[in-house]
Amino acid sequence: MVRNKNGTVKKGTVLNPKGRPKGTPNKTTAELKELIKTFVESEIEEAENLLIELTPKERLDILCKLLPYVLPKQTELISDSDRTVTINFKE
């Protein structure tokens, strides 16, 4: 029996053995990523000129929006004891 009593598939059961192997990226996703990469590469040359035309406030706003892609997100740690806790962020 392939299914449990509640109708769900038992863990480790493959219903379509000829399907895409686990971990293989979706073809459409890979094509879309390549298309976006090509678009970004073509626009990046113009980005510097566009940034120069912005006001300092607008440039700062863009910088703040881009920071999460460069720096790890910090988390607040609240401790109710007197112990010292060290937090390391992945790079």
Side-chain angles (χ1 to χ4, degrees):
M1 178 178 249
V2 177
R3 297 189 180 268
N4 295 321
K5 291 179 182 179
N6 63 1
T8 60
V9 178
K10 290 183 179 179
K11 187 175 181 175
T13 303
V14 178
L15 295 178
N16 183 5
K18 293 184 179 182
R20 187 174 70 218
K22 188 174 183 177
T24 304
N26 185 319
K27 183 178 179 184
T28 305
T29 303
E31 290 172 354
L32 183 58
K33 283 183 180 182
E34 186 60 35
L35 181 63
I36 292 171
K37 178 183 172 199
T38 303
F39 174 72
V40 169
E41 287 173 349
S42 67
E43 291 296 317
I44 202 74
E45 296 171 7
E46 186 64 26
E48 187 175 353
N49 296 330
L50 294 172
L51 288 171
I52 291 170
E53 295 175 10
L54 298 176
T55 66
K57 184 177 186 277
E58 292 170 328
R59 284 197 303 270
L60 184 59
D61 184 46
I62 289 176
L63 176 64
C64 289
K65 289 178 181 177
L66 293 174
L67 279 177
Y69 297 99
V70 180
L71 298 175
K73 200 170 202 173
Q74 295 185 359
T75 56
E76 183 179 354
L77 180 66
I78 300 172
S79 176
D80 52 351
S81 69
D82 293 332
R83 331 180 264 177
T84 302
V85 178
T86 304
I87 301 175
N88 295 318
F89 296 102
K90 294 181 181 177
E91 292 190 28

